[in-house]
Amino acid sequence: MALTNAETGLDDVVERLPDLPGDRYVDRELSWLAFNERVLDLARDARRVPLLERARFLAIFCSNLDEFFMVRVAGLKRRMAAGVAVASNSGMMPRELQDAILGRSRELVAEAYRTFSDEVRPAMAEHGIVILRWDELNEDERDRMHQLFEDRIFPVLTPLAVDPSHPFPYISGLSVNLAVLVRNPDTGARQFARVKVPTLLSRFVALGNDRFVPLEDVIARHLGQLFSGMEIVAHSTFRVTRNEDVEVEEDDAENLLFALEKELLRRKIGQPPVRLEVEDDIDPTMLELLVSELDIAEKEVFKVPSPLDLRGLFSLADLDREELKYPSFLPKTHPQLAQVETAQQADLFASLKRHEVLLQHPYDSFATSVQRFIEQAAADPAVLAIKQTLYRTSGDSPIIDALVEAAQAGKQVLALVEIKARFDEQANIAWARKLEKAGCHVVYGMLGLKTHCKLSMVVRDEPNGLRRYCHIGTGNYNPKTARLYEDMGLLTSNAVITEDVAKLFNHLSGMTQETRYKRLLVAPHSIRLGLIESIQGEIANHAAGLPSGVRIKVNSIVDEAVIDALYRASQAGVKVDLWVRGICAVKAGVPGLSENIRVRSILGRFLEHSRLYWFANGGQPQVGIGSADLMHRNLDRRVEVIVGLANPAHITQIERLFELAFDEGTASWWLDQDVWTQRTLDASGEPLMDLQEHLIATMGQRRASDR
């Protein structure tokens, strides 16, 4: 992606701009909580979101919050414990920020449980999907639960008592547990015990006819069998969230693979708690003991109605009740690839010789494009080598199978497996070893950097010599998430781009010092610099009376240098549109600072995941797609790639997406300074257009000109 060089008069323009205020950033962590509230908004949206999808969004909200506490809040606590009193980007000190996070989280959790109890659960019952407590079961259902407990549950339970000879047990993170208070009828002495709810069974046990009972209710009813001869005084469910972030001092690790495995073991057995969730009617004595033994502050205790852990709603959202879900959707083969859909394998490469293909998943099928690209390369005898980055993939990945097949066929296969991908570390270690055993060359990334770019390159022996084919994407090589995440990718045999990609792979696997490319921006060397120069180019273009403007779509924007450049552009009169799914540290519409900045967020059935960059460039738009969000970790501590697009049809496609996203007739969230407002209805009360549903309906029509 070439850099803009329009710099005439730029220094003079910038000198005339007002100073940037000190309070110009939204706090990163509080902005993330605002994002998760937008997820909660979907669970509350009874008019636009089908019922079981609302249940799914409640589960997603809780899962998101778990990860936030495991990583972000845990990191904040770790800094506080180490005495690192550094203010956040918003100027908040650590303890002040922790209090703000806990306070806002408590409000959101209360609203999530209210939404479940008052709206989603009753609505599910109206449609025959009923969550019952033990006392609500009929006699036949109780008899079947008694039998289930005897056959399937009792054998795997391990009650752990606390007394002078039995110390307080280790409570694993995110497990649902029963705290039990028992009394010895002979001595009158009271004793605490813990029973872990097993994860092998569904959280909501099926009774038949879409009737369910929480698993912990079944266990609680049978506590007398676990503590025979004792009186059950009280019981309550609780759940602990622990620090789950992985830290590996790479510079000191002789072998990154073994160092990471050691750290993963430590994460499982010894990380401190950062949150305690308990039922709101828990016995005070039990709560006091839990707080004391877990060494957790009272402000970190969340009291919520039962059932705890709404992630269990994932299983109910998967029920076979299609009328209560989003309409079924089948991705289609991209028109430029459809003509070779049933032809010989080499035809896909013939198609890529004729034209580049810009994919947008899940509307364009991943299986018949990216997956087929790798699978056909593995089977094609003319292919000599395949090089691939792997950040996250599925458990039964056809991509992995294809790479194994290629290596076993004698092709040179390089797999750059990022084993530090958070929460996928163990799975990626397993894939790395499988690939090594098959004969692939496996590289584990670079010291101090995560390899987050999405690249695949095929080298093919053709009559006119060797030719490279590449895929550069915004999303992972994961066939399962490719049906749930919105992402874009470029399939190309363009010699300039493929030469750049070849140089980058050599840099990642070897010892080259390559940092300059013709059509790529690559972090940590050139993405921040390249984007800022392009933004400054728009300031100069505006001052010269040329077409100017910036449009950016990312998951998150936090990087202060890029944000300040956008503020400067706004002050200079440049129109800036930011399409942000998650964290946004930008304040929009602030007079004298960002009145020319519009920020929108779109959430829905697909997770908006692509990263797009558009600059007016004096009337010759400069457009790139890539893996990089605008965060410190992406721009400084990861290998990221943005590739510039040259095909006018592809540029028009990106422009059309932005036009739809920012159209006032499209449902979205609008940012006004630091406050998000959901806009789903027009002035007459009718629903606004759902962008994703619109793309499902119209993608085929819009692509007709690409054939």
Side-chain angles (χ1 to χ4, degrees):
M1 182 176 178
L3 304 182
T4 298
N5 294 312
E7 299 176 354
T8 305
L10 178 61
D11 291 341
D12 292 338
V13 173
V14 172
E15 280 184 10
R16 295 194 298 268
L17 299 178
D19 292 338
L20 298 177
D23 61 348
R24 60 190 180 274
Y25 307 121
V26 177
D27 186 85
R28 180 198 195 283
E29 316 303 352
L30 298 182
S31 179
W32 186 93
L33 289 173
F35 151 68
N36 211 28
E37 183 178 15
R38 299 197 288 280
V39 176
L40 183 56
D41 283 342
L42 294 173
R44 295 185 285 197
D45 193 345
R47 184 160 183 173
R48 298 173 63 250
V49 181
L51 178 57
L52 289 184
E53 305 297 349
R54 294 174 65 197
R56 190 186 309 279
F57 282 120
L58 277 175
I60 292 171
F61 167 86
C62 291
S63 179
N64 285 349
L65 198 61
D66 287 345
E67 183 172 335
F68 177 70
F69 270 83
M70 288 189 294
V71 178
R72 301 303 306 179
V73 177
L76 181 61
K77 284 193 68 175
R78 188 166 57 242
R79 292 193 297 274
M80 290 167 58
V84 181
V86 178
S88 69
N89 63 339
S90 64
M92 299 179 73
M93 297 303 291
R95 196 164 301 281
E96 177 189 8
L97 178 56
Q98 182 193 33
D99 290 341
I101 289 171
L102 293 174
R104 186 65 184 130
S105 296
R106 203 177 306 281
E107 293 170 354
L108 293 177
V109 167
E111 177 60 17
Y113 276 87
R114 186 209 62 77
T115 301
F116 172 69
S117 300
D118 297 350
E119 298 180 21
V120 174
R121 186 174 182 174
M124 290 171 64
E126 290 178 7
H127 287 84
I129 303 172
V130 186
I131 301 174
L132 302 165
R133 304 309 301 266
W134 180 268
D135 293 340
E136 298 173 297
L137 304 187
N138 60 42
E139 197 62 35
D140 177 65
E141 289 169 338
R142 291 188 185 188
D143 288 343
R144 284 189 285 116
M145 290 302 100
H146 288 315
Q147 193 62 50
L148 177 69
F149 182 82
E150 293 288 344
D151 295 343
R152 300 278 296 166
I153 302 175
F154 181 77
V156 300
L157 295 180
T158 304
L160 297 175
V162 177
D163 58 30
S165 62
H166 298 89
F168 191 86
Y170 179 78
I171 310 297
S172 54
L174 302 187
S175 62
V176 177
N177 303 269
L178 281 169
V180 185
L181 193 62
V182 300
R183 188 179 71 86
N184 187 318
D186 297 329
T187 65
R190 294 191 173 197
Q191 193 172 348
F192 175 87
R194 171 259 192 159
V195 180
K196 181 178 179 178
V197 176
T199 57
L200 297 178
L201 296 174
S202 175
R203 179 66 193 294
F204 293 108
V205 181
L207 300 165
N209 299 318
D210 285 344
R211 290 164 63 86
F212 301 87
V213 61
L215 178 56
E216 61 267 28
D217 273 23
V218 179
I219 297 173
R221 176 59 183 81
H222 296 86
L223 287 174
Q225 293 175 240
L226 292 172
F227 302 96
S228 59
M230 304 292 282
E231 176 189 345
I232 308 299
V233 177
H235 64 81
S236 186
T237 53
F238 71 97
R239 182 172 178 260
V240 175
T241 309
R242 294 185 177 275
N243 179 347
E244 297 287 345
D245 204 11
V246 171
E247 291 185 288
V248 177
E249 295 296 335
E250 297 181 45
D251 293 339
D252 298 330
E254 292 184 5
N255 188 306
L256 179 58
L257 187 63
F258 290 113
L260 184 57
E261 287 181 312
K262 183 178 179 181
E263 174 62 21
L264 289 172
L265 178 62
R266 187 184 73 83
R267 184 171 77 176
K268 290 180 179 178
I269 64 174
Q271 295 290 54
V274 294
R275 179 180 57 164
L276 171 63
E277 296 168 278
V278 299
E279 285 188 84
D280 51 13
D281 61 352
I282 188 172
D283 179 88
T285 302
M286 288 198 295
L287 178 57
E288 182 180 356
L289 178 66
L290 288 172
V291 169
S292 173
E293 292 291 344
L294 291 169
D295 190 24
I296 198 164
E298 290 190 14
K299 65 181 180 181
E300 296 171 317
V301 177
F302 285 67
K303 293 184 178 181
V304 298
S306 63
L308 265 64
D309 189 8
L310 295 181
R311 293 179 307 163
L313 293 174
F314 277 124
S315 63
L316 300 187
D318 288 335
L319 289 173
D320 187 17
R321 296 288 299 272
E322 297 305 313
E323 75 278 11
L324 301 178
K325 299 180 182 181
Y326 286 121
S328 60
F329 165 67
L330 182 65
K332 295 179 173 59
T333 299
H334 189 287
Q336 291 177 322
L337 299 178
Q339 56 191 308
V340 298
E341 191 167 4
T342 59
Q344 297 299 313
Q345 292 177 356
D347 284 354
L348 186 143
F349 298 112
S351 178
L352 294 182
K353 286 181 190 176
R354 294 193 297 271
H355 39 59
E356 294 180 324
V357 176
L358 182 64
L359 303 162
Q360 186 177 14
H361 310 299
Y363 314 105
D364 294 318
S365 168
F366 181 90
T368 60
S369 56
V370 180
Q371 182 178 319
R372 174 173 293 173
F373 176 66
I374 304 301
E375 290 175 336
Q376 290 192 359
D380 187 349
V383 169
L384 304 180
I386 303 174
K387 297 187 178 184
Q388 176 88 44
T389 62
L390 293 170
Y391 190 75
R392 302 185 197 275
T393 190
S394 58
D396 53 351
S397 172
I399 301 290
I400 298 290
D401 293 341
L403 295 177
V404 168
E405 176 189 342
Q408 291 175 340
K411 304 180 193 301
Q412 292 292 310
V413 177
L414 171 70
L416 204 153
V417 181
E418 182 46 77
I419 58 174
K420 302 186 294 297
R422 181 175 287 145
F423 301 123
D424 278 330
E425 301 96 342
Q426 200 69 57
N428 285 5
I429 288 173
W431 291 130
R433 288 188 165 146
K434 178 179 179 179
L435 291 166
E436 283 183 322
K437 289 179 181 178
C440 300
H441 301 293
V442 178
V443 178
Y444 298 111
M446 306 178 72
L447 289 179
L449 299 174
K450 281 186 180 180
T451 304
H452 189 250
C453 53
K454 324 299 181 182
L455 303 174
S456 182
M457 184 178 75
V458 172
V459 181
R460 194 164 183 268
D461 190 5
E462 299 182 352
N464 294 328
L466 297 184
R467 188 177 187 123
R468 301 185 184 98
Y469 299 82
C470 289
H471 172 263
I472 304 174
T474 70
N476 298 309
Y477 291 100
N478 187 326
K480 292 183 178 179
T481 59
R483 299 194 66 167
L484 302 173
Y485 289 18
E486 179 275 337
D487 271 303
M488 302 198 79
L490 182 70
L491 282 169
T492 182
S493 64
N494 178 282
V496 177
I497 294 177
T498 58
E499 178 70 20
D500 278 353
V501 173
K503 289 180 179 179
L504 180 54
F505 268 116
N506 288 340
H507 175 63
L508 295 174
S509 64
M511 298 295 291
T512 73
Q513 297 298 313
E514 188 70 61
T515 60
R516 299 287 296 181
Y517 304 90
K518 294 179 181 178
R519 288 277 295 276
L520 303 183
L521 293 179
V522 179
H525 301 290
S526 62
I527 287 185
R528 179 187 286 111
L529 174 63
L531 294 178
I532 290 175
E533 288 191 12
S534 291
I535 294 168
Q536 291 173 339
E538 297 308 307
I539 296 174
N541 287 332
H542 181 79
L546 299 173
S548 65
V550 177
R551 296 172 178 173
I552 294 175
K553 178 179 186 287
V554 286
N555 292 273
S556 299
I557 175 168
V558 174
D559 188 78
E560 290 87 357
V562 174
I563 292 174
D564 284 353
L566 293 172
Y567 282 150
R568 289 300 192 192
S570 173
Q571 289 177 325
V574 178
K575 300 297 183 182
V576 176
D577 286 342
L578 302 178
W579 180 357
V580 185
R581 175 174 61 88
I583 304 167
C584 180
V586 176
K587 291 185 178 181
V590 178
L593 175 69
S594 57
E595 62 263 51
N596 288 307
I597 296 179
R598 297 189 298 176
V599 180
R600 302 286 185 268
S601 187
I602 294 176
L603 283 74
R605 67 186 294 180
F606 306 133
L607 185 144
E608 293 288 334
H609 193 249
S610 64
R611 292 87 165 185
L612 313 176
Y613 298 89
W614 180 96
F615 302 94
N617 194 34
Q620 300 293 320
Q622 181 184 52
V623 180
I625 68 170
S627 59
D629 284 314
L630 298 178
M631 305 178 73
H632 305 144
R633 70 185 187 192
N634 299 90
L635 304 184
D636 295 324
R637 301 191 299 275
R638 290 185 174 185
V639 179
E640 306 274 13
V641 167
I642 297 174
V643 60
L645 304 181
N647 187 321
H650 297 165
I651 292 172
T652 299
Q653 181 180 338
I654 300 297
E655 290 173 341
R656 178 59 179 157
L657 271 178
F658 277 105
E659 289 167 2
L660 287 171
F662 282 83
D663 191 295
E664 293 195 4
T666 299
S668 62
W669 284 260
W670 293 29
L671 181 64
D672 182 10
Q673 299 201 21
D674 59 353
V675 177
W676 288 94
T677 303
Q678 185 180 20
R679 302 197 179 196
T680 59
L681 305 176
D682 63 18
S684 63
E686 291 301 310
L688 297 174
M689 184 189 73
D690 183 301
L691 175 63
Q692 296 177 348
E693 295 299 328
H694 173 78
L695 291 178
I696 289 174
T698 64
M699 181 64 81
Q701 301 171 17
R702 295 194 303 109
R703 286 289 176 76
S705 62
D706 290 345
R707 291 180 183 273

